[in-house]
């Protein structure tokens, strides 16, 4: 079945084997991924450290898929240009990080990238509301950021519903992205709530062939979207 135009699966490379990253990128692309999600962590905004622009550039050299760079860093504005130059297509910053969010969005657009804003599970959607007309992606975190393989927090689903309603009303076609603990089961619930972009780490890379994992996620999001009540 063809993918409905607005549903996207983005495997998160944080869950891949870093010693064989090129293979993971290739498997995701061959398995039907729509984008790749790259989790940047600075040890301040979140307790974990991951990687910087040089790894994004290395991934860029191996794939034509859009690269979404999720900046879990304290000072996103300082690094936007570096991640854009490394090949990031969408730069997603956190509203809880430093800097004036509207200015961060403008800086991302000036670099010719798409802009995403992420909110932690305990951040209300109201914080993002004024930005929605300018955003290409609203990313609702469904785990506390910092680590892959955590359990999905269903209490964020009302924010997905509200975000979807607001974006539909504005009519920009921006994605509502969900990130954290997405499995075939939780993907159904997220799609039903109106998510259109699904970040999947462990459910893609932590066991079994990547293509089969992606196929199961694909059918789950299509099922959920089919009975989404809008
Ligand atoms: C968590 C990251 C997520 C994570 C997703 O801080 O933002 O992108 O890697 O991994 P899973 O799907 O395993 O929760
Ligand atoms: Zn992420």
């Amino acid at each position: 079945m063809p993918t409905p135009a607005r549903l996207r699966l983005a495997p998160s490379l944080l869950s891949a084997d870093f010693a064989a990253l090129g293979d993971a990128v290739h498997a995701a692309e061959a398995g039907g991924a729509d984008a790749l999600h790259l989790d940047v962590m600075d040890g301040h905004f979140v307790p974990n450290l991951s990687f910087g622009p040089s790894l994004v550039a290395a991934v860029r050299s191996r794939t034509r898929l859009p690269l979404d760079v999720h900046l879990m860093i304290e000072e996103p504005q300082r690094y936007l240009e570096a991640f854009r130059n490394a090949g990031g297509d969408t730069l997603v910053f956190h509203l809880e990080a430093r800097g004036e969010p509207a200015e961060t969005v403008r800086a991302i657009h000036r670099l010719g990238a798409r802009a995403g804003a992420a909110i932690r599970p305990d951040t209300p959607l109201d914080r993002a509301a004024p930005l929605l007309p300018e955003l290409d992606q609203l990313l609702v975190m469904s785990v506390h950021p910092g680590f892959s393989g955590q359990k999905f927090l269903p209490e964020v689903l009302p924010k997905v519903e509200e975000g979807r309603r607001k974006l539909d009303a504005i009519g920009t076609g921006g994605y509502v992205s969900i990130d954290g603990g997405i499995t075939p089961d939780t993907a159904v619930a997220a799609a039903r709530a109106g998510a259109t972009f699904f970040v999947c780490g462990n459910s893609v890379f932590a066991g079994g062939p990547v293509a089969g994992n992606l196929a199961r996620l694909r059918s789950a999001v299509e099922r959920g979207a089919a009975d989404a009540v809008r």
Side-chain angles (χ1 to χ4, degrees):
M1 192 199 286
T3 312
R6 299 180 66 223
L7 295 179
R8 295 279 185 273
L9 295 181
S12 164
L13 293 176
L14 191 64
S15 295
D17 175 2
F18 282 10
L21 204 51
D23 295 345
V25 168
H26 179 71
E29 188 162 6
D34 301 293
L36 293 174
H37 181 90
L38 293 106
D39 289 300
V40 176
M41 304 182 184
D42 66 354
H44 293 281
F45 185 76
V46 289
N48 200 4
L49 288 160
S50 59
F51 49 75
S54 59
L55 186 129
V56 176
V59 170
R60 176 76 290 160
S61 73
R62 294 297 183 97
T63 182
R64 301 174 76 96
L65 287 176
L67 301 184
D68 277 25
V69 182
H70 180 187
L71 298 168
M72 284 164 278
I73 65 178
E74 197 60 56
E75 296 188 77
Q77 290 191 16
R78 271 182 72 184
Y79 296 97
L80 296 174
E81 193 169 356
F83 283 105
R84 176 61 177 153
N85 289 342
D89 297 290
T90 301
L91 303 179
V92 184
F93 69 100
H94 267 265
L95 287 184
E96 306 87 356
R98 272 190 230 158
E100 215 281 294
E103 172 49 34
T104 309
V105 169
R106 279 194 295 273
I108 293 171
H109 283 153
R110 272 199 304 272
L111 290 166
R114 293 163 63 87
I119 49 175
R120 286 175 170 151
D122 42 15
T123 300
L125 185 71
D126 288 359
R127 286 276 295 277
L131 287 179
L132 289 177
E134 318 304 327
L135 286 183
D136 301 291
Q137 186 180 136
L138 167 72
L139 187 151
V140 176
M141 293 278 335
S142 41
V143 298
H144 293 284
F147 300 91
S148 56
Q150 302 181 74
K151 202 168 162 323
F152 182 79
L153 298 170
E155 58 267 34
V156 307
L157 288 173
K159 289 196 288 187
V160 172
E161 284 174 21
E162 200 187 331
R164 181 74 271 151
R165 265 198 307 274
K166 288 191 148 85
L167 279 170
D168 284 350
I170 298 167
T172 57
Y175 292 109
V176 177
S177 175
I178 184 101
D179 183 7
I182 291 295
T183 64
D185 284 341
T186 61
V188 173
R192 204 177 278 143
T196 48
F197 194 108
F198 303 81
V199 177
C200 325
N202 273 21
S203 61
V204 171
F205 291 118
V210 165
N213 293 341
L214 279 168
R216 273 184 291 280
L217 287 158
R218 177 79 62 199
S219 83
V221 299
E222 286 174 358
R223 232 174 23 251
D227 37 82
V229 190
R230 298 277 171 84

